[in-house]
């Protein structure tokens, strides 16, 4: 049996604003709004369906995106041009920096709803115990 991740719903204060924000940063397009969703599709066919809900009902999540080195340059430039605060680590202990983990580069930032976004240019590698190497 073949199983593929197809879509997920991302809660937002404003579905259009959050979709436009992420699409702009990642250099992606926005799909046609349908029902309560504003979709953003990634190149591997996964759709992020942004849905507006009351701010107090949003549970903050983490979303990570794998890009090429060249694409990372564009993403990072758009983050800086927009004046978005960014970090080299998920805990915000290294502000204004990127990381060079796993032979690539990575950056963390928040979306308008407060979700933690991560962009990496190399996938995480695991050791023989299944732990990050």
């Amino acid at each position: 049996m073949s199983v593929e991740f197809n879509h997920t719903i991302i809660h937002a204060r404003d579905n259009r604003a959050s979709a436009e924000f992420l699409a702009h940063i990642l250099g992606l397009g926005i799909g046609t709004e349908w029902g309560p969703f504003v979709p953003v599709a990634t190149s591997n066919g996964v759709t992020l369906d942004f849905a507006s809900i009351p701010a107090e009902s949003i549970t903050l999540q983490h979303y990570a995106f794998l890009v090429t080195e060249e694409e990372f340059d564009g993403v990072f430039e758009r983050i800086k041009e927009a004046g978005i605060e960014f970090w080299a680590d998920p805990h915000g202990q290294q502000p204004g920096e990127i990381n060079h983990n796993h032979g690539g580069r990575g950056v963390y930032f928040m979306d308008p709803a407060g979700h933690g976004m991560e962009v990496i240019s190399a996938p995480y590698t695991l050791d023989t115990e299944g732990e990050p190497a």
Side-chain angles (χ1 to χ4, degrees), residues 31-101:
T32 302
E33 186 170 344
W34 58 278
F37 306 112
V38 177
V40 175
T42 64
S43 63
N44 63 337
V46 174
T47 303
L48 309 170
D49 295 323
F50 288 87
S52 296
I53 67 168
E56 64 273 8
S57 298
I58 296 174
T59 299
L60 300 183
Q61 300 293 318
H62 172 82
Y63 299 94
F65 302 92
L66 179 63
V67 299
T68 66
E69 282 290 330
E70 182 178 298
E71 290 165 335
F72 187 91
D73 290 337
V75 166
F76 190 49
E77 188 60 33
R78 287 186 290 275
I79 288 171
K80 292 187 298 185
E81 285 175 356
I84 297 167
E85 192 172 8
F86 62 90
W87 305 268
D89 66 301
H91 305 291
Q93 301 300 306
Q94 297 171 296
E97 299 178 37
I98 65 170
N99 67 58
H100 297 278
N101 300 339

Side-chain angles (χ1 to χ4, degrees), residues 8 12 21 28 34 45 52 90 104 106 119:
T8 192
F21 170 85
L28 299 172
W34 58 278
S52 296
V119 176

